[in-house]
Amino acid sequence: MLSGLACAFLMVGAAHAEAVYYYDTAPGVRLNVRRGPGTQYGIVRVLPEGAKVAIFCQTPGETVSGYYGTSNIWDNIANGEFVSDTYVKTGSDGYVASRCG
């Protein structure tokens, strides 16, 4: 019974994992992850060089100049965790995900 439940859980998890797209971060950059959409927010953690991130939603915030240009778009990569979109290779200068609520 437990193995069947575990298998069902894995199948549901796999279905959700396929719906998430991961974006490359800027090469050679250890990226600060912040509590909000600006450099005034505390650093939660630092992503290693070559990290990929999922973008769950995006929000306007502090304008930052980074590897991929200048923008005020910040990417929500986990609950309460944001990175400047200027360090994420989305292929767009605009929004690629829904606005954070």
Side-chain angles (χ1 to χ4, degrees):
M1 176 93 172
L2 182 58
S3 62
L5 180 60
C7 182
F9 176 76
L10 289 174
M11 289 173 60
V12 169
H16 291 296
E18 290 174 355
V20 176
Y21 184 79
Y22 288 85
Y23 297 90
D24 291 324
T25 57
V29 174
R30 295 181 70 232
L31 186 56
N32 291 333
V33 178
R34 297 188 176 273
R35 293 177 202 265
T39 57
Q40 72 273 24
Y41 292 91
I43 296 171
V44 177
R45 60 188 170 119
V46 178
L47 298 177
E49 292 181 25
K52 293 181 178 284
V53 295
I55 300 175
F56 296 103
C57 63
Q58 294 177 298
T59 191
E62 177 185 355
T63 298
V64 172
S65 292
Y67 190 88
Y68 295 111
T70 300
S71 177
N72 73 333
I73 298 173
W74 285 74
D75 304 332
N76 176 250
I77 63 167
N79 189 22
E81 296 187 2
F82 295 85
V83 296
S84 170
D85 193 61
T86 62
Y87 290 96
V88 181
K89 186 177 181 180
T90 62
S92 173
D93 288 338
Y95 289 86
V96 298
S98 61
R99 295 271 182 116
C100 300

